[in-house]
Amino acid sequence: MLKVVKKKDKSSFWKGVCQNWDSMRESLSLSLFFIYWEAPPENNFKLNCDSSVWHNGLAGGRGVIRNHLGDVMLAFSVNLGLCFINLAELEAIAIGI
């Protein structure tokens, strides 16, 4: 159980969070893993993109193209209007290509 502390005592709060993390993680069945960007082979480029759709149906897409050193070659963000998430994802890929 986490202890409630006053706002001015932030260090005690975070110390409690850290001390209780293992028991909290086990009780919530959480797994901790790292997500990272993996570079493409030398002299190649990699496109990473993502899209989202708001509750009102308006969509947007964004992406970045990087070389094998991780340098950004191109980045974009676009308003896609009204559409479903699958179409928004495909539109972002098409724009990136």
Side-chain angles (χ1 to χ4, degrees), residues 49-62:
C49 57
D50 188 32
S51 296
S52 59
V53 177
W54 287 77
H55 60 86
N56 61 3
L58 290 176
R62 63 218 50 78

Side-chain angles (χ1 to χ4, degrees), residues 1-94:
M1 228 5 131
L2 285 178
K3 154 179 129 169
V4 177
V5 295
K6 297 175 186 172
K7 281 189 176 182
K8 65 180 181 181
D9 192 6
K10 292 179 184 175
S11 63
S12 295
F13 171 78
W14 288 113
K15 185 177 180 182
V17 168
C18 294
Q19 288 174 343
N20 294 310
W21 174 251
D22 286 333
S23 62
M24 288 173 21
R25 185 177 53 83
E26 289 172 10
S27 67
L28 297 173
S29 299
L30 296 176
S31 297
L32 180 64
F33 57 94
F34 296 98
I35 299 173
Y36 59 94
W37 181 82
E38 189 172 318
E42 191 171 342
N43 298 319
N44 284 279
F45 297 95
K46 182 180 255 187
L47 168 65
N48 293 109
C49 57
D50 188 32
S51 296
S52 59
V53 177
W54 287 77
H55 60 86
N56 61 3
L58 290 176
R62 63 218 50 78
V64 63
I65 296 176
R66 297 178 187 261
N67 65 11
H68 67 280
L69 300 173
D71 300 326
V72 174
M73 301 286 104
L74 176 98
F76 66 91
S77 180
V78 62
N79 180 355
L80 299 171
L82 291 171
C83 67
F84 294 107
I85 188 62
N86 293 342
L87 180 58
E89 296 281 357
L90 291 172
E91 287 286 339
I93 293 169

